[in-house]
Structure formats: structure tokens, C-alpha cells
């Protein structure tokens, strides 16, 4: 019984480590690759309001060049 419990624990440890690494890679890739499209004003849904999601500034240019 002890061997079964140890093998389960080892499996859970390795699965957890793999999940954490995969999530970290996904988040870092999304941060660098996800926002490369430039739009000045974008309205989504049926709202009459316009929400500015992106304004071209020097800070954004530096951010995009670093990714």
C-alpha cells in the first residue's frame, strides 16, 4: 500500500510542476505575442460607448520592441 501512495504522490508532484511550467510559458507568450495588432478605437458589443483600448505612445513602442 505504501508503494501505491508514493507513486501517486510522485505523479501529482510531476503533474503539478508540468502544469505550472506550461502556464508560465503560456502567459509569457501571450504577453509578448497577443497585443501586436494596432487599433485606435474599438467598440465591442452593443454599447454606444467607445472604449479606447490602445493609444500609440512611446512607452507602448518600447514595450512592443522588447517582446
Amino acid at each position: 500500500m505504501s508503494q501505491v501512495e508514493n507513486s501517486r504522490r510522485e505523479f501529482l508532484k510531476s503533474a503539478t510542476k508540468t502544469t505550472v511550467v506550461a502556464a508560465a510559458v503560456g502567459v509569457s507568450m501571450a504577453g509578448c505575442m497577443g497585443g501586436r495588432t494596432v487599433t485606435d478605437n474599438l467598440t465591442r458589443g452593443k454599447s454606444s460607448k467607445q472604449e479606447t483600448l490602445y493609444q500609440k505612445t512611446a512607452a507602448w513602442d518600447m514595450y512592443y520592441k522588447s517582446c
Side-chain angles (χ1 to χ4, degrees):
M1 191 88 174
S2 175
Q3 282 183 329
V4 173
E5 288 179 11
N6 285 337
S7 67
R8 287 180 184 170
R9 287 183 183 148
E10 291 302 319
F11 170 76
L12 288 174
K13 285 180 185 178
S14 65
T16 303
K17 289 178 186 177
T18 304
T19 303
V20 168
V21 169
V25 169
V27 168
S28 66
M29 292 299 287
C32 286
M33 300 295 233
R36 297 228 174 188
T37 58
V38 176
T39 56
D40 291 330
N41 288 322
L42 181 63
T43 304
R44 293 183 182 202
K46 296 180 181 178
S47 176
S48 62
K49 292 182 181 179
Q50 278 197 339
E51 180 180 3
T52 303
L53 299 176
Y54 175 84
Q55 289 182 346
K56 188 170 183 170
T57 61
W60 276 109
D61 288 338
M62 287 175 43
Y63 171 75
Y64 286 127
K65 288 178 184 177
S66 69
C67 288

